[in-house]
Amino acid sequence: MASARRGRGASPDAGAIRARYRRILRFAGWNLAVTWWYELFLPRIGLAKVAERSRSKRMRRFAQRFHVLAVELGGLMIKVGQFMSSRLDVLPPEITTELEGLQDEVPPVPFAAIRELAEAELGVPLERAFSMVDESPVAAASLGQAHRARLAPVDAEDTGLTVVVIKVQRPGIDAIVDVDLAALRRVGRWLSHVRLVSDRVNAPALVEEFARTSLEEIDYLHEAASAERFAEEFDGDDRVAVPAVVWERTTRRVLTLEDVTAIKITDGDGLRAAGIDPVEVAPVFAAVMFDQLFTQGFFHADPHPGNIFVTPVADGSDRAAGPGERPWKLTFIDFGMMGEVHSSTRSGLRKLLIAAASRDGKGLVNAMREVGVLLPTAETTELEQAMTQLFARFGGMGFAQLREVDPREFRDFAVQFGEVVRSLPFQLPENFLLIIRAMSLTSGVCSALDPEFNLWDSVEPYAAQLLRDERGNLVQDLAKQALEVAGLAWRLPKRLDALITRIEDGTVAVTTPRLEQRVSRLERTSRRLIAAVVFGGLLIAGVLLRADDVVLGTVLMVASVVPLLYTLFAGRRGR
């Protein structure tokens, strides 16, 4: 127990903790206020074009300031920045591009502090645990730091390993993670009161999911167990390799793994020098990630280029690889951030993939509903039409082809169907945070390997295989559908009778959500116009009367504030 307490390292003092907490909240509060002013207030008073003209500059400035904040504070701020840089689907390029380099910019901790923490955790001097430790770090991440080492002869004989990598937590990281999570939880509560956000996502729930994965990431015993589970999932698969864990030199804050350093997956020159075509690596990597997400349900949630190597396979002969043979493997490292997809969600994801591959707009929307992205009560007819038209125009295009499309086409599509998307009750299911991160990083790595890479080329054969697997349960599905039809036939006469009764009573109501929405918006606009006229009348009357009757003129001027406030803020509840 004493060792565990010492292993926390030198924690920041209370003053530094409070200053860190306040700095994070000041940054979040200021940027939320700026966003409210430009994106909500100015459009409400008819100045939307002012907000649009400055949007790109504001986004870039926000990303630059967050970049500085993350590098200076470290801790979970680096993780937040990395997550934002991977959200190419929802965040503008001004933000994602600026935050791309966060992974490689974390300054290393002095080796003396690393030695102190490692010795406290292992209970012995490093010279006894290892025959050699390189004081220069192999990698310095936001939560830990890695050093190459050689096992002592006894451990080397027991494990069959010689060269290893020691991963040691940053001293004081526990206290830093605690304060960062406290600040993020408060920001999450703020966002839960912003309807624009709360209608789309449960921000406090997302923060809690982020907290859970972050706390797991600083528990190296959990990471070691995840590495072994990942290795079991791919046991016998010649595409994937995983480093062995040296349990004898592993604790909650120190992790010792087999050194599997090889060619970084996005190092095109290194791959070609080893006789490996980067273009051939991309579809294999995509297929391995698809297997994790859609078949196994246990997946690497942080597959950025620094966590994946391409390892040439030496078979001890000079024979060239034959057709269909791969002279290399994908080696995964860093299993601190892992995700799990439950069987029900996995089934929905498979249907989502199959629908996307077959350009089935209605099937895609149904799959979105099944995985929880759309609420069950959502009216989706227009969304289905939008997805069908989207597939008809852009389906099958790779990123290189999409870059050649006239931007006006995307803008016209956004204008045509933007209101449909905004009006639907989308939500982000709790376990989707890691799934989205994994898929975003997978797409980015594949595009780096092959600029012409078309994700559809990997999706379609995989979806076809999933479809064949799904047909294995066709008899059960048909039986289930037959029972549903029989039940519907049994209930239909009663439902018709109830409908006729309601028609006779005059209690049938027909709803048209889009029409009602537009009528409601028109009513709000007219009320605000009337209020603006009343405000102008009271203000002018007050100014004119004040010369003769100070009291009455002042009263009228003060009273004009009421319709002014209504004009500025009316419609908030209706939005």
Side-chain angles (χ1 to χ4, degrees):
M1 182 67 71
S3 171
R5 283 195 297 269
R6 288 194 304 272
R8 293 180 69 92
S11 297
D13 59 48
I17 288 292
R18 285 195 297 272
R20 181 185 184 91
Y21 180 78
R22 286 196 297 267
R23 185 175 177 186
I24 295 171
L25 291 186
R26 276 200 308 271
F27 181 89
W30 169 254
N31 283 284
L32 282 174
V34 169
T35 301
W36 175 84
W37 175 262
Y38 281 99
E39 303 300 333
L40 296 178
F41 181 75
L42 291 185
R44 184 170 289 155
I45 61 174
L47 298 177
K49 290 186 177 180
V50 174
E52 290 174 7
R53 282 198 299 268
S54 64
R55 183 172 293 127
S56 179
K57 184 178 179 181
R58 282 187 288 110
M59 294 296 175
R60 191 178 299 108
R61 188 162 57 239
F62 162 78
Q64 290 168 346
R65 289 173 177 171
F66 185 86
H67 197 150
V68 172
L69 177 81
V71 171
E72 290 182 0
L73 294 183
L76 293 187
M77 294 301 101
I78 294 284
K79 293 293 179 185
V80 173
Q82 289 170 353
F83 176 71
M84 287 196 291
S85 72
S86 70
R87 291 307 307 271
L88 304 175
D89 51 339
V90 295
L91 293 178
E94 292 87 352
I95 292 178
T96 57
T97 303
E98 178 64 32
L99 298 178
E100 278 176 351
L102 270 175
Q103 178 63 32
D104 300 320
E105 295 182 12
V106 185
V109 175
F111 183 72
I114 293 294
R115 172 189 287 275
E116 180 184 356
L117 191 151
E119 290 182 345
E121 280 291 307
L122 297 174
V124 296
L126 284 186
E127 290 76 10
R128 287 180 54 189
F130 304 95
S131 61
M132 182 280 295
V133 178
D134 187 350
E135 296 188 6
S136 299
V138 176
S142 54
L143 304 180
Q145 189 163 302
H147 292 260
R148 188 169 281 110
R150 287 182 176 274
L151 287 176
V154 174
D155 289 336
E157 185 177 351
D158 290 342
T159 61
L161 303 174
T162 303
V163 183
V164 294
V165 171
I166 314 168
K167 186 175 176 181
V168 183
Q169 274 188 14
R170 284 180 166 266
I173 195 64
D174 290 289
I176 291 173
V177 167
D178 288 344
V179 72
D180 287 0
L181 288 179
L184 290 173
R185 286 184 174 110
R186 188 160 187 178
V187 174
R189 289 195 296 271
W190 290 349
L191 291 174
S192 69
H193 296 295
V194 179
R195 189 166 183 178
L196 187 68
V197 176
S198 62
D199 283 350
R200 297 290 181 267
V201 66
N202 185 339
L206 280 184
V207 172
E208 288 309 314
E209 184 181 359
F210 181 74
R212 178 181 57 78
T213 58
S214 299
L215 293 173
E216 288 178 353
E217 201 167 351
I218 60 173
D219 181 355
Y220 288 167
L221 291 174
H222 183 274
E223 180 175 346
S226 295
E228 291 204 335
R229 178 179 173 185
F230 191 84
E232 290 172 2
E233 295 283 358
F234 285 98
D235 185 31
D237 191 326
D238 64 358
R239 301 173 300 172
V240 177
V242 181
V245 178
V246 182
W247 285 100
E248 294 81 357
R249 298 302 178 197
T250 295
T251 70
R252 199 176 83 80
R253 295 179 179 85
V254 175
L255 174 62
T256 305
L257 295 165
E258 174 188 7
D259 184 8
V260 292
T261 305
I263 307 168
K264 187 176 178 179
I265 191 169
T266 51
D267 181 2
D269 293 337
L271 291 172
R272 282 185 283 269
I276 301 170
D277 185 355
V279 173
E280 295 179 359
V281 176
V284 176
F285 174 61
V288 167
M289 291 304 300
F290 287 160
D291 280 344
Q292 295 172 48
L293 285 161
F294 302 113
T295 303
Q296 296 163 353
F298 183 67
F299 64 95
H300 197 301
D302 196 21
H304 65 76
N307 284 341
I308 305 142
F309 296 118
V310 177
T311 306
V313 177
D315 62 0
S317 69
D318 296 328
R319 178 180 63 85
E325 295 182 10
R326 278 185 307 275
W328 49 268
K329 288 189 175 188
L330 294 171
T331 301
F332 286 76
I333 63 171
D334 193 350
F335 301 92
M337 188 183 295
M338 305 296 292
E340 197 156 0
V341 187
H342 299 298
S343 57
S344 58
T345 304
R346 196 156 66 246
S347 172
L349 285 175
R350 286 199 295 266
K351 292 177 182 177
L352 197 70
L353 187 68
I354 292 169
S358 57
R359 302 357 178 222
D360 179 4
K362 184 174 182 179
L364 186 71
V365 172
N366 289 336
M368 290 167 65
R369 195 194 303 273
E370 183 170 334
V371 297
V373 174
L374 280 171
L375 294 178
T377 56
E379 172 53 50
T380 58
T381 303
E382 290 182 287
L383 180 62
E384 291 169 8
Q385 295 172 357
M387 291 297 101
T388 300
Q389 292 193 28
L390 181 69
F391 281 135
R393 177 62 187 92
F394 306 114
M397 288 187 178
F399 290 109
Q401 294 169 296
L402 287 173
R403 282 194 290 267
E404 301 300 320
V405 175
D406 188 338
R408 286 175 295 184
E409 285 198 55
F410 293 117
R411 187 165 60 249
D412 292 344
F413 185 87
V415 170
Q416 183 179 0
F417 295 106
E419 184 62 32
V420 174
V421 174
R422 284 191 294 271
S423 64
L424 284 171
F426 283 101
Q427 62 178 359
L428 189 61
E430 186 177 333
N431 61 346
F432 257 53
L433 187 67
L434 295 180
I435 294 173
I436 291 171
R437 176 180 174 81
M439 290 306 297
S440 298
L441 290 172
T442 298
S443 177
V445 169
C446 289
S447 296
L449 286 165
D450 177 10
E452 302 296 321
F453 178 78
N454 189 337
L455 192 62
W456 296 101
D457 293 339
S458 293
V459 166
E460 288 176 336
Y462 196 86
Q465 180 59 47
L466 287 177
L467 192 57
R468 286 193 293 271
D469 294 342
E470 294 286 335
R471 284 172 180 164
N473 297 320
L474 184 59
V475 175
Q476 293 92 324
D477 290 343
L478 288 174
K480 182 179 178 181
Q481 291 179 20
L483 287 173
E484 291 175 353
V485 171
L488 178 62
W490 174 263
R491 294 190 301 270
L492 187 58
K494 295 180 180 179
R495 295 180 68 179
L496 285 173
D497 183 61
L499 177 61
I500 291 171
T501 301
R502 291 179 63 188
I503 291 173
E504 291 174 346
D505 294 343
T507 58
V508 173
V510 179
T511 61
T512 54
R514 286 176 62 86
L515 179 60
E516 291 174 359
Q517 185 182 37
R518 290 175 179 175
V519 170
S520 176
R521 188 178 299 136
L522 183 62
E523 290 175 350
R524 288 197 302 271
T525 301
S526 62
R527 286 197 297 266
R528 290 168 63 191
L529 182 61
I530 292 170
V533 172
V534 173
F535 158 70
L538 288 174
L539 181 63
I540 293 170
V543 171
L544 294 176
L545 288 174
R546 198 167 187 273
D548 299 323
D549 190 334
V550 174
V551 175
L552 179 59
T554 302
V555 168
L556 290 175
M557 292 173 66
V558 171
S560 71
V561 173
V562 176
L564 172 63
L565 292 175
Y566 182 86
T567 302
L568 294 177
F569 299 104
R572 170 173 296 207
R573 293 184 179 178
R575 285 181 182 272

